[in-house]
Amino acid sequence: MIKLSIAENKRYFMNEGTPFFYLADTVWSAFTNITLEEWAYYLDYRKSQGFNVLQINLLRQWDASGSDLSCEPFARAEDGSYDFYTLNEEYFTRAETMIEMAVSRGFVPALVLLWCNYIPDTWAAKLREEKKMPLEAVEPYVRYAADRFSKFYPIYIISGDTDFPSERANQYYRIALHTVKQHSPQCLTTLHIQGRLAVLPEEFIDDPHLDFYMYQSGHNSQFQPTAYTLALDFYNKTVTRPVLNSEPCYEQMGYSRKVYGRFTRADVRKAAWQSLLSGASAGITYGAHGIWSWHRKGKKFGVTGEGFDSPYDWQSALKFEGAWDYGLAKWLFGIYGLTDMQPWNIVLKNTEEIRAAVTADYTKVAIYVPVNTVLKLDADLSEYNFTVIDLENRRFGTTSISVQEQITTIDMHDFEADVLLIGIRK
């Protein structure tokens, strides 16, 4: 069983004294939508790809696809709404079985406690008329979850997609964070926040109960540069913590706001590498459109407000090629020892799309180049040997460099897709 901790320099995760690269899949709707047989198949497949974390909503995901299963976390009141004071033991027993299945295969469960639709004043709460969780119900619910699941050493994601709109909403998250840390100090905690949001309330930045930062660059086609701009924002927070992009664009997800188009394998790979080399080097989360909502062909799917296009059937979405690209990122971080990468502003090009990072001891440098070009770098890299990696076809090649007046030039490579350049100091 994996028991994660934070590295001494507060930049990445550790497991039994070894750096741990957080490679998560997004499966928000697992506990309400997935049969145990499907779950076993899914776990075995994602394990083969190198995934080691699963991000799951502990309660019903508000935008999950339709399901024939009848699994609800709370009893129903007379008006059909949740009775948040009466937990459904059968639901949580089933969830515990699913977590045990995942943990036995080497996964760390990352459990969302309070998605924003359950909290008053949030953006999702304003779109939905369902009854919100009473503040007085938060502490007993979180205590119950901690008492039941903390033996698996999960990560507790306190909030889900929240925008921290008011003191009333923040109080929910404050209670949940402090309750779970009081009952499960051995488990790591974080906050999943709204897409493109760079600002956290100061009380959470300063709270010692919070262990690492998550941000999401999200699914709006206009704002994909936030993959790297938000990485830099969180990397430079006044309180240093590991940073990761917990929700980049999902593969084959329709653009948000009902804009025509879908994110391709290349799009999601680009978001990953731009995040990883811009300060969010603790790990990365993948998402497939059809897995997160666990969609079955012919079932209902609809998202009020966001308006994404229809998902693929989960069996098709599970096989999207981009998941292997994310697995490759994890392997490259391990093989080349890229732990503790820090952004390095050396790219001399009229674009911010090319991202560069270097290890703390400057023995290794990594550069992501989305479109082939002659690369000029404001550093003398003559002491480095470079490998160029074709990320689309997973091919490795060599490249030569030249240095003049402290400017390094790397000529165009022979690959047609995006590449990662790895430099190792001789």
Side-chain angles (χ1 to χ4, degrees):
M1 190 180 302
I2 297 172
K3 182 180 179 182
L4 293 182
S5 60
I6 304 297
E8 186 176 354
N9 70 352
K10 309 296 185 186
R11 289 299 188 187
Y12 55 94
F13 301 104
M14 299 286 291
N15 175 42
E16 297 183 347
T18 301
F20 179 93
F21 184 91
Y22 179 114
L23 180 61
D25 191 28
T26 309
V27 60
W28 299 131
S29 311
F31 297 150
T32 58
N33 282 41
I34 306 180
T35 69
L36 296 185
E37 293 77 16
E38 292 168 344
W39 185 238
Y41 177 79
Y42 163 83
L43 292 174
D44 289 338
Y45 192 78
R46 282 294 188 245
K47 180 184 178 182
S48 74
Q49 296 176 304
F51 287 85
N52 52 22
V53 180
L54 300 172
Q55 294 181 181
I56 308 171
N57 192 345
L58 193 53
L59 305 180
R60 174 171 287 281
Q61 180 72 17
W62 71 299
D63 47 4
S65 292
S67 174
D68 291 330
L69 300 179
S70 180
C71 303
E72 301 297 339
F74 302 101
R76 294 287 190 181
E78 290 185 4
D79 62 0
S81 64
Y82 280 151
D83 173 4
F84 289 102
Y85 296 100
T86 307
L87 294 155
N88 181 358
E89 289 282 343
E90 184 178 351
Y91 173 91
F92 289 100
T93 296
R94 184 176 184 274
E96 183 174 344
T97 297
M98 296 176 74
I99 291 173
E100 189 170 19
M101 291 169 66
V103 168
S104 69
R105 288 166 168 82
F107 290 98
V108 176
L111 306 175
V112 180
L113 292 171
L114 295 171
W115 205 270
C116 64
N117 62 294
Y118 294 99
I119 309 303
D121 303 332
T122 63
W123 69 271
K126 295 174 183 177
L127 295 175
R128 298 173 67 86
E129 297 178 356
E130 64 191 8
K131 187 168 69 176
K132 307 302 178 261
M133 181 180 287
L135 184 65
E136 295 76 15
V138 172
E139 194 272 341
Y141 153 64
V142 173
R143 187 177 67 248
Y144 174 86
D147 290 343
R148 181 144 203 171
F149 300 120
S150 292
K151 61 187 175 185
F152 299 111
Y153 300 108
I155 293 165
Y156 286 110
I157 305 176
I158 303 303
S159 62
D161 212 17
T162 193
D163 50 353
F164 304 104
S166 65
E167 167 56 26
R168 179 168 66 160
N170 292 352
Q171 191 174 2
Y172 278 75
Y173 303 128
R174 186 185 312 125
I175 291 172
L177 176 61
H178 294 170
T179 298
V180 80
K181 269 300 186 182
Q182 177 185 355
H183 289 269
S184 306
Q186 75 278 17
C187 297
L188 299 185
T189 58
T190 189
L191 296 161
H192 180 278
I193 64 177
Q194 187 181 25
R196 307 186 301 280
L197 189 66
V199 179
L200 282 182
E202 287 296 326
E203 67 166 299
F204 293 114
I205 293 178
D206 295 333
D207 197 320
H209 296 92
L210 190 69
D211 292 307
F212 65 98
Y213 297 123
M214 281 182 165
Y215 71 90
Q216 61 158 313
S217 51
H219 317 291
N220 190 307
S221 58
Q222 293 179 287
F223 297 104
Q224 287 306 296
T226 56
Y228 54 85
T229 60
L230 290 177
L232 290 167
D233 283 334
F234 282 91
Y235 183 86
N236 292 311
K237 292 294 185 194
T238 54
V239 179
T240 300
R241 294 183 175 95
V243 181
L244 63 90
N245 189 346
S246 65
E247 193 169 332
C249 53
Y250 292 164
E251 190 166 5
Q252 290 302 319
M253 183 85 140
Y255 302 150
S256 65
R257 304 296 189 266
K258 299 183 180 180
V259 175
Y260 177 72
R262 292 180 186 264
F263 291 105
T264 66
R265 172 191 171 194
D267 293 326
V268 301
R269 186 172 63 240
K270 179 180 178 181
W273 282 107
Q274 289 183 333
S275 302
L276 289 167
L277 300 187
S278 303
S281 61
I284 191 69
T285 300
Y286 172 77
H289 194 37
I291 293 296
W292 69 272
S293 65
W294 207 259
H295 189 71
R296 290 179 173 84
K297 191 174 294 186
K299 290 295 181 182
K300 182 180 178 181
F301 174 79
V303 185
T304 303
E306 286 291 345
F308 304 119
D309 212 332
S310 300
Y312 285 71
D313 179 87
W314 73 266
Q315 292 172 310
S316 298
L318 183 61
K319 302 297 177 69
F320 288 164
E321 193 68 19
W324 293 102
D325 292 336
Y326 276 53
L328 177 64
K330 176 192 165 191
W331 291 118
L332 292 175
F333 262 67
I335 291 169
Y336 286 102
L338 301 181
T339 303
D340 195 20
M341 297 294 285
Q342 57 190 33
W344 200 13
N345 186 23
I346 59 170
V347 178
L348 297 173
K349 201 74 177 176
N350 59 342
T351 179
E352 294 184 331
E353 293 280 291
I354 300 170
R355 308 305 301 176
V358 66
T359 52
D361 59 5
Y362 282 76
T363 59
K364 295 152 189 171
V365 59
I367 306 166
Y368 174 72
V369 185
V371 177
N372 202 355
T373 187
V374 175
L375 193 59
K376 292 187 180 295
L377 305 168
D378 188 15
D380 183 346
L381 302 180
S382 58
E383 293 299 313
Y384 292 76
N385 288 323
F386 276 89
T387 299
V388 56
I389 303 167
D390 172 8
L391 295 172
E392 181 175 88
N393 298 295
R394 306 180 192 112
R395 297 179 293 177
F396 290 65
T398 60
T399 188
S400 59
I401 70 171
S402 60
V403 179
Q404 187 174 4
E405 297 181 353
Q406 303 299 306
I407 301 298
T408 297
T409 299
I410 303 178
D411 286 333
M412 286 177 56
H413 52 79
D414 291 328
F415 302 127
E416 297 177 7
D418 54 340
V419 302
L420 183 71
L421 291 161
I422 301 288
I424 307 296
R425 196 163 65 191
K426 303 172 188 175

